[in-house]
Amino acid sequence: QVQLVESGGGLVQAGGSLRLSCAASGRTFSSYVMGWFRQAPGKEREFVAARWSDGSTVYADSVKGRFTIFRDNAKGTVYLQMNSLKPDDTAVYYCAAGLGSFGGNAYWGQGTQVTVSS
């Protein structure tokens, strides 16, 4: 069982930055691929970024070059550094943990709101 708690959301002007954090419980944090997803009002949840323990990463095209995902296995925490934010980035951001992927057995956080004003 893994519990995920996100923090760091808020209101920021376009062009600004935010860093989201996701603290995971459990002693097998390094076994999981960690990721971030987001859901804007009226839209489906979409993938943002993921990072494996070996350092490999993948990003959605919409955030490449602006967002960076990194993790601290010792602290059991994954971060999402978001720069050059746009109003289209406004959404509830969710942290996820999976064993190799984010399928039906993945764990999810409660979400944190990010609002980017124009």
Side-chain angles (χ1 to χ4, degrees):
Q1 187 76 11
V2 175
Q3 291 185 325
L4 305 172
V5 179
E6 301 104 331
S7 61
L11 174 64
V12 64
Q13 288 188 331
S17 298
L18 280 176
R19 178 178 292 185
L20 305 182
S21 300
C22 173
S25 65
R27 295 177 291 177
T28 58
F29 176 78
S30 61
S31 301
Y32 290 86
V33 54
M34 300 299 299
W36 290 93
F37 291 73
R38 66 187 182 185
Q39 187 167 19
K43 295 186 178 181
E44 294 186 354
R45 188 175 299 188
E46 65 175 5
F47 170 78
V48 175
R51 187 176 184 108
W52 284 258
S53 286
D54 65 0
S56 57
T57 58
V58 63
Y59 294 92
D61 287 344
S62 59
V63 307
K64 280 181 182 177
R66 301 188 298 121
F67 291 10
T68 303
I69 183 171
F70 57 102
R71 60 192 289 170
D72 185 332
N73 285 341
K75 293 183 178 180
T77 302
V78 63
Y79 305 90
L80 185 68
Q81 178 65 41
M82 306 185 294
N83 298 329
S84 301
L85 283 162
K86 306 174 181 178
D88 284 349
D89 295 318
T90 296
V92 177
Y93 283 71
Y94 297 91
C95 174
L99 289 173
S101 66
F102 300 106
N105 293 325
Y107 297 95
W108 295 88
Q110 82 286 355
T112 186
Q113 177 70 47
V114 172
T115 303
V116 184
S117 63
S118 57

